[in-house]
């Protein structure tokens, strides 16, 4: 696997742009929040200054209220839609004066990324010094979430847009789209000039995506107004698991740094409430795993996806519950003719093995599942997830997502979306270490 490792380093170095990384040339030509964090984990293994710079640049784009945007538009680029002129982050009174961005966020990986970088580092003292300089910004970001996005004060934060979930066009949202009837917008897609349209969201789906942003813009991205008016308002198990994992990392790091008792106390309070509500509100006894909760329509969205298993990564389920989840995962997603782990329930009629988050395997979720399975002592299944990940990349290249059907790999290209995709490379490097 030495050659694969070298290629992964090349992918990362080629996507490095003087201070930050693009997820994928042309298709995603700016800095994305959760991509950036996961990319830093890869760099930490062979180029610590780049790992640190990646995070510094990301946190430099933080708003005055602690918010971190999902895309930071460092440059003008006509290969991406919707760009800065559509998103208009300047409408928010506390948005960054230095960078144009979107007015939505993404799964808050930064906390656990800092801890991963520390674990990887061969010079702990220097790395802890770097962390000390940056960590309060991450804490401030968590404070933003709990103060502005936990409308019931129950420990779970909402997302108001499917692009905030990271799992952009998941079939989970289909029922929410049915509650909306957005106008037919006129716009020019750019993604479908780089990637086959059959692998991307549809035009009508984009109408919904843009419509939610228009509503948020009408109210200058006010969190209060968004909570009141957005037709999309969801408590997402992946998003909240990532926040909980990051809370724990901040606690661990502040303990290492010392003299931060008040912050540690607050983090522990958030954590206790979050885990409790997570386990009651987001678990589906029938499916045997976690699901999304639609806050706007006050109901669970009862579908299995790779996000259903992400709580393993944050130590949220009890041992008994973890056992149930792992059995469900192996039965539905882990057959001999399947690569772990499809992003959506392969037994559902909404499953599509080629279309973005409607079925394909994603390396970032596999990386979280690998680590989650190790947490709970499922070493054999964890190894299967790791080997599956290495194997699909070996067969196809460093694609954005991959077909979960094992038999078709090797006969055709079963890697989809963008090629030379940064986090596929970054997390492969971490898995091989
Ligand atoms: C895209 O353009 O598809 C991105 O995932 C949005 O964040």
């Amino acid at each position: 696997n030495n050659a694969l490792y070298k290629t992964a380093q090349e992918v990362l170095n080629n996507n490095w742009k003087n201070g930050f990384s693009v997820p994928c040339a042309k298709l995603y030509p700016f800095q994305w929040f959760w991509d950036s964090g996961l990319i830093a984990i890869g760099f930490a293994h062979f180029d610590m200054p780049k790992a640190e710079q990646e995070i510094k640049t990301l946190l430099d784009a933080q708003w005055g209220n602690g918010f971190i945007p999902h895309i930071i538009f460092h440059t003008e680029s006509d290969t991406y839609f919707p760009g800065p002129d559509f998103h208009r982050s300047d409408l928010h009174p506390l948005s960054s004066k230095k960078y144009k961005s979107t007015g939505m966020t993404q799964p808050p990986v930064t906390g656990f990324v800092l801890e991963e970088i520390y674990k990887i580092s061969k010079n702990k003292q220097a790395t802890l010094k770097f962390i000390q300089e940056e960590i309060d910004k991450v804490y401030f970001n968590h404070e933003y979430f709990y103060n502005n996005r936990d409308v019931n004060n129950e420990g779970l934060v909402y997302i108001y847009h499917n692009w905030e979930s990271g799992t952009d066009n998941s079939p989970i949202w289909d029922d929410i789209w049915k509650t909306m009837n957005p106008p037919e917008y006129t716009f020019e897609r750019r993604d479908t000039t780089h990637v086959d349209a059959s692998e991307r969201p549809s035009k009508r789906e984009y109408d919904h995506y843009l419509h939610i942003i228009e509503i948020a813009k009408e109210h200058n991205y006010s969190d209060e107004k968004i909570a009141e008016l957005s037709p999309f308002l969801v408590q997402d198990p992946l998003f909240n698991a990532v926040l909980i994992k990051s809370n724990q990392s901040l606690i661990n790091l502040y303990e290492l740094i010392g003299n931060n008792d008040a912050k540690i106390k607050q983090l522990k309070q958030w954590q206790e409430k979050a885990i409790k509500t997570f386990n009651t509100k987001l678990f589906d006894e029938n499916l045997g795993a976690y699901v999304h909760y639609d806050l706007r329509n006050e109901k669970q969205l009862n579908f299995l996806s790779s996000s259903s298993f992400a709580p393993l990564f944050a130590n949220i389920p009890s041992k008994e519950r973890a056992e149930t989840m792992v059995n469900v995962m192996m039965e539905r997603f882990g057959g001999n003719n399947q690569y772990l782990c499809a992003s959506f329930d392969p037994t559902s009629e909404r499953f599509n093995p080629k279309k973005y988050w409607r079925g394909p395997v994603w390396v970032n979720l596999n990386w979280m599942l690998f680590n989650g399975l190790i947490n709970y002592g499922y070493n054999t299944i964890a190894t299967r997830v790791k080997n599956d990940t290495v194997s699909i990349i070996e067969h196809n290249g460093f694609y954005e997502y991959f077909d979960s059907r094992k038999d078709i790999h090797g006969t055709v290209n079963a890697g989809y979306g963008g090629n030379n995709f940064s986090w596929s490379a970054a997390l492969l490097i971490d898995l091989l270490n």
Side-chain angles (χ1 to χ4, degrees), residues 4-224:
L4 203 59
Y5 196 95
K6 280 243 142 49
T7 313
Q9 290 183 331
E10 270 168 38
V11 169
L12 286 187
N13 282 330
N14 289 338
N15 288 342
W16 175 258
K17 300 283 168 214
N18 226 345
F20 72 97
S21 298
V22 297
C24 182
K26 295 200 182 83
L27 183 60
Y28 306 122
F30 314 105
Q31 186 176 24
W32 262 256
F33 185 171
W34 73 329
D35 293 79
S36 191
L38 300 176
I39 289 163
I41 294 172
F43 270 130
H45 286 283
F46 68 98
D47 193 336
M48 195 54 98
K50 280 191 187 140
E52 293 183 0
Q53 190 57 53
E54 182 80 49
I55 297 299
K56 273 190 197 162
T57 307
L58 175 70
L59 294 174
D60 195 36
Q62 184 166 42
W63 292 8
N65 60 351
F67 175 90
I68 299 173
H70 109 290
I71 308 176
I72 301 147
F73 297 110
H74 290 282
T75 51
E76 300 289 327
S77 171
D78 58 8
T79 66
Y80 188 78
F81 173 85
D85 299 338
F86 184 87
H87 283 283
R88 293 283 316 273
S89 56
D90 58 294
L91 291 171
H92 191 287
L94 294 174
S95 62
S96 168
K97 302 286 167 282
K98 195 166 165 188
Y99 303 97
K100 292 180 181 174
S101 73
T102 60
M104 68 177 79
T105 190
Q106 252 179 347
V109 297
T110 339
F112 78 71
V113 167
L114 287 182
E115 192 181 16
E116 287 296 323
I117 291 177
Y118 180 76
K119 285 190 204 153
I120 295 164
S121 170
K122 295 194 176 69
N123 184 348
K124 302 283 188 212
Q125 227 181 334
T127 303
L128 198 59
K129 191 167 164 286
F130 155 74
I131 291 171
Q132 224 167 323
E133 285 161 14
E134 303 297 325
I135 190 169
D136 287 348
K137 297 175 197 161
V138 182
Y139 179 87
F140 187 30
N141 183 234
H142 289 210
E143 213 168 32
Y144 159 79
F145 279 121
Y146 288 114
N147 290 344
N148 297 287
R149 287 183 174 225
D150 179 6
V151 277
N152 297 329
N153 195 16
E154 60 185 343
L156 296 180
V157 305
Y158 71 72
I159 53 172
Y160 80 87
H161 197 288
N162 55 301
W163 280 338
E164 292 199 314
S165 70
T167 60
D168 298 1
N169 68 337
S170 174
I172 296 160
W173 320 135
D174 292 2
D175 294 327
I176 300 177
W177 305 145
K178 282 184 205 146
T179 69
M180 292 170 60
N181 188 19
E184 297 261 0
Y185 294 104
T186 310
F187 57 89
E188 204 179 317
R189 291 276 287 276
R190 300 302 163 112
D191 55 330
T192 44
T193 65
H194 314 300
V195 169
D196 195 297
S198 68
E199 298 165 21
R200 295 283 306 173
S202 68
K203 156 75 169 73
R204 192 60 187 145
E205 281 173 311
Y206 259 74
D207 286 335
H208 292 87
Y209 305 171
L210 300 182
H211 189 58
I212 308 170
I213 301 172
E214 291 294 7
I215 294 169
K217 277 158 62 180
E218 259 170 52
H219 300 281
N220 301 326
Y221 289 110
S222 148
D223 290 304
E224 250 172 66

Side-chain angles (χ1 to χ4, degrees), residues 278-292 300-304 308 321 324-325 328:
F278 199 114
N279 271 314
T280 48
K281 198 172 184 184
L282 303 186
F283 197 75
D284 179 331
E285 297 284 350
N286 290 328
L287 289 174
Y290 294 87
V291 294
H292 296 66
Q300 279 190 346
L301 298 168
N302 305 98
F303 296 98
L304 288 175
S308 300
R321 212 170 244 190
T324 307
M325 291 163 70
V328 169

